[in-house]
Amino acid sequence: KIFMNTLKYLQSNEFLLDVDLWRLFANLEELNKISLCFLKSFFETVKEHVSKSDSPMDFSSIFRKFFQGDLCQTHQIYCLNYTSAVFYLENLRQREDFSIYLKQWCEQNEQCKRLHLPELLVAPLHRLTRYPLLLNNIWKRSTDETEKGFIWSLKEKVEKSIRDLEGKVKWLDNFQKFRQLQEVIIWPQVWDRDKRFFVPEHLKQSLRENSSENILSSANRLLLHEGRLMLAESTRLLDVYLFLFDDFLLITKIKRNKKKYGGSDTGLIPVCPSLAPELQSFIREGGFCTVLDQPIPLDRLILRNVDPIHVTVFSLRNAFLIQHENRYRQCIAVFLLQAPTETAKKTWMSQIETAISNYTTQHETKKSTAFRFPAESSEI
């Protein structure tokens, strides 16, 4: 509340007017109000029992009012906004005026106990996960069977609510990550990628409309591994960034822009915190990734280890080879890649092998299900 109220005060004095309170704090005021109301009611019941030892300690009415009411719902709203809030905060912190507000106006306050805003924003998430523990402890000590049954069913509902929330948060996090990747991965047109392909100007627009840029728009796709490697070409080593998804591998060239993300010319462009730190810093420097070649489906990818003795002439170390085959098992592309260390090479090879294995298993299961014949009747 120190951070939130200070920001409100500064905005009332026409400072940091472009900072969105909701994006940072969501429904925090409502959450505080309902949580405080629950705690007061809870301790009033305890207090009444202590002052009148003959009165039963009945929590059922309190739990019914709050856990079947707004308590979990307000937490869910806050938690669903949390990833976005961290995303937004990380980019605001790049600004000098916002850093002054954080460090000089808020963090030096004694009540913050040297905690920073990210450490405070996560507190409601921790609070929500502790409610089942509270309900379980009360269930253990309850003597009334009816009350025990009610508290147990309530505990299970709260746990299910948390599991559902975790799924939603993961989905949102994945959605934001892929939306960011769509912004930084550039798909060149086929005639730009290879000069052999000539396309008249009047046909280019229709080909652009069928572009594969939206290949990353599916929120069901997973990014399994990513990182920076070197690609060996005939005369040089090329700086590349690889994205291993659960259904294909994408090799991109690293490009740099003079303009930076978050600069005064471009406005504040958020960088997703769930991306790899290396890619995050690269994006902030104005970098982007241009697709080098078509995506390599995992069922068309052949992975080969390269013995160090075979590549010493090229001064390559920690090398492995990726072969792209078409549906007729013809090799249509080969990529000789160098990792920064032997450990990084082994990690990449292990990740790719596991991804291929999982993809193959998953699709074989689908095929067997699709082609399964119905059971014969015993009368035939």
Side-chain angles (χ1 to χ4, degrees), residues 84-206:
S84 178
V86 173
F87 194 174
Y88 187 48
L89 175 61
E90 282 304 307
N91 291 279
L92 287 172
R93 288 168 77 175
Q94 309 300 317
R95 286 171 39 172
E96 187 179 354
D97 56 351
F98 193 83
S99 292
I100 292 169
Y101 145 73
L102 287 178
K103 294 172 184 176
Q104 297 183 20
W105 284 79
C106 301
E107 289 173 2
Q108 292 183 12
N109 191 306
E110 289 181 2
Q111 292 181 359
C112 288
K113 298 177 182 177
R114 297 183 181 179
L115 292 173
H116 302 292
L117 186 54
E119 296 164 310
L120 296 168
L121 286 174
V122 76
L125 278 73
H126 295 159
R127 171 72 62 85
L128 180 60
T129 58
R130 292 192 184 109
Y131 285 138
L133 299 175
L134 171 69
L135 291 167
N136 192 56
N137 282 331
I138 292 170
W139 173 80
K140 283 180 183 176
R141 290 160 178 77
S142 180
T143 54
D144 184 274
E145 289 302 318
T146 306
E147 186 180 62
K148 277 180 83 80
F150 170 71
I151 292 172
W152 184 259
S153 67
L154 205 59
K155 180 182 85 78
E156 288 187 325
K157 284 179 182 176
V158 175
E159 287 174 338
K160 183 180 182 300
S161 174
I162 292 170
R163 286 195 300 272
D164 291 345
L165 177 64
E166 286 172 349
K168 290 174 186 174
V169 169
K170 284 179 183 175
W171 186 92
L172 271 175
D173 185 49
N174 199 48
F175 174 77
Q176 288 174 335
K177 181 193 291 184
F178 274 74
R179 190 172 63 177
Q180 179 100 78
L181 289 176
Q182 277 186 286
E183 292 177 7
V184 299
I185 295 177
I186 310 299
W187 298 76
Q189 299 298 331
V190 65
W191 54 86
D192 292 329
R193 196 171 65 233
D194 196 325
K195 300 302 178 186
R196 290 176 300 165
F197 303 120
F198 170 71
V199 180
E201 285 298 325
H202 68 279
L203 293 176
K204 285 184 177 180
Q205 186 55 41
S206 62

Side-chain angles (χ1 to χ4, degrees), residues 204-219:
K204 285 184 177 180
Q205 186 55 41
S206 62
L207 288 172
R208 282 194 184 98
E209 289 170 0
N210 297 323
S211 175
S212 59
E213 290 179 16
N214 293 328
I215 195 170
L216 299 180
S217 61
S218 171

Side-chain angles (χ1 to χ4, degrees), residues 263-289:
S264 57
D265 293 334
T266 57
L268 191 71
I269 301 173
V271 178
C272 183
S274 60
L275 292 175
E278 183 179 35
L279 187 59
Q280 282 188 51
S281 62
F282 178 61
I283 292 169
R284 288 196 183 97
E285 291 169 2
F288 60 94
C289 301

Side-chain angles (χ1 to χ4, degrees), residues 75 80 106 161 187 230 259 279 327-328 354 368 372 375:
H75 269 91
L80 284 171
C106 301
S161 174
W187 298 76
M230 302 301 291
K259 287 186 177 180
L279 187 59
R327 61 184 295 187
Y328 304 107
T354 304
S368 63
R372 189 175 295 153

